[in-house]
Amino acid sequence: MSERQKNLFIDFKNSSKEDWVKKATSDLKGEDVFEKYNWNFDDKITLEPYYDNSDLKAIENIEAFQNRLILKENPTGENRYWENLQKIIVTDSKTANKQALEALNNGADGIIFDLTRAQGISLTDLLDDILIDYCSISFVLGADFKEHLAAYTDLIDSKGIDHQSVSGIIFLSEGHQSPDNYLEAFKATINLPGLLSLSIMSTEQTASSAIAHLLHSTVSVINAFEATQLDIHQILSKITFGLQVSTDYFGEIAKARALRNLFFQLSQAYKADGFNPENLHIHAISPAWTEEKYQPHANMLKATTAAMSAILGGCDSLLVEPEDYSNTLMVRIARNVSSILKEESYFNKTNDPAAGSYYLEVLTDKLARTAWQKFQEKVKQEKEEIQ
């Protein structure tokens, strides 16, 4: 550091948190600034109006979880990567194939084919001309998921595609997300290591409850696999968490970060010594949002801030849902949100922008502690019910 840089702030006095409190109290004519301006996040977390470096000293292992997502061997110079996924609701194989090719040629890194409304779908027609080994192919499946997975693996083998190059996520639709079904999906994709078949979702409204639910569901799934004698690392490598991203900008950043930290803690309880925080795959979903006063582009505004939260929080894949899947303009706008944040806003150039932020680090820590407590209460309640 040059002398000029050292002297840059020489005329500015360092101020402590105590100095800020004194000034704020004076301006408020003696009122307690922390009592007057604190606010509640989630359902049990109280946040203060001011944080500084002194607040980070109480957070254990804070640096151990920072900057974990950097692409150390990426030749393009990008520090972060996430997949920009587009969902296609399939009713006709050839129509959906055309939509998928258009999306892949215009910014999407992968496709999520929703087959829950389809009948008599031909995967050969659906995936025609799609380079399965060069993009992410995911499916939303219902009761017939085993038949679809068998057909997909047969198609991969018939094309001579390297199993190691296949990637994507298998989403089991609501009502089919049971430990037994997860086990069947796992078995069907065991030879495709990049196809994540244990996609665990939560519909809980508060951040801490959503995290606790995801962790508890994961434990149920892992415990259901005990009789299979599978290696814990193999199970963990197939897990992805589906996080719905709301309009709470900072809260959603903290939610993804807290989930990654807690899942790492959970993995250690299963003695998965080689598993690291960055190994967890987080799939972020920005549901369609309509607010009359912000129309006609309310969802575009919400999707942008939601996508920013998901990326800053450390998601590995991102789905921005349009207001209307039949409206090609809305579909294109939703798909382009991720592309613009990457190509024009350079969100892929910094691996962890939230690291060291006094407010976000404290929020992440408080949220993680609250979620872990709720998770433990769920486990305790379940044990009592069994007894």
Side-chain angles (χ1 to χ4, degrees), residues 272 324 366:
D324 183 358
K366 285 179 175 286

mmCIF file of all heavy atoms in Angstrom, residues 272 324 366:
data_model
loop_
_atom_site.group_PDB
_atom_site.id
_atom_site.type_symbol
_atom_site.label_atom_id
_atom_site.label_comp_id
_atom_site.label_asym_id
_atom_site.label_seq_id
_atom_site.Cartn_x
_atom_site.Cartn_y
_atom_site.Cartn_z
ATOM 1 N N ALA A 272 -19.724 -37.768 7.227
ATOM 2 C CA ALA A 272 -19.362 -37.562 5.821
ATOM 3 C C ALA A 272 -18.178 -36.598 5.774
ATOM 4 O O ALA A 272 -18.313 -35.427 5.410
ATOM 5 C CB ALA A 272 -20.549 -37.010 5.048
ATOM 6 N N ASP A 324 -47.245 -16.149 -17.124
ATOM 7 C CA ASP A 324 -48.079 -16.955 -18.014
ATOM 8 C C ASP A 324 -47.164 -17.750 -18.942
ATOM 9 O O ASP A 324 -46.472 -17.174 -19.782
ATOM 10 C CB ASP A 324 -49.010 -16.044 -18.815
ATOM 11 C CG ASP A 324 -49.957 -16.813 -19.721
ATOM 12 O OD1 ASP A 324 -49.861 -18.058 -19.763
ATOM 13 O OD2 ASP A 324 -50.777 -16.162 -20.391
ATOM 14 N N LYS A 366 -28.135 -15.639 13.040
ATOM 15 C CA LYS A 366 -29.371 -15.710 13.840
ATOM 16 C C LYS A 366 -30.375 -16.671 13.201
ATOM 17 O O LYS A 366 -31.034 -17.454 13.888
ATOM 18 C CB LYS A 366 -29.991 -14.312 13.970
ATOM 19 C CG LYS A 366 -29.284 -13.379 14.948
ATOM 20 C CD LYS A 366 -29.969 -12.022 14.963
ATOM 21 C CE LYS A 366 -29.366 -11.102 16.009
ATOM 22 N NZ LYS A 366 -29.769 -11.474 17.377
#
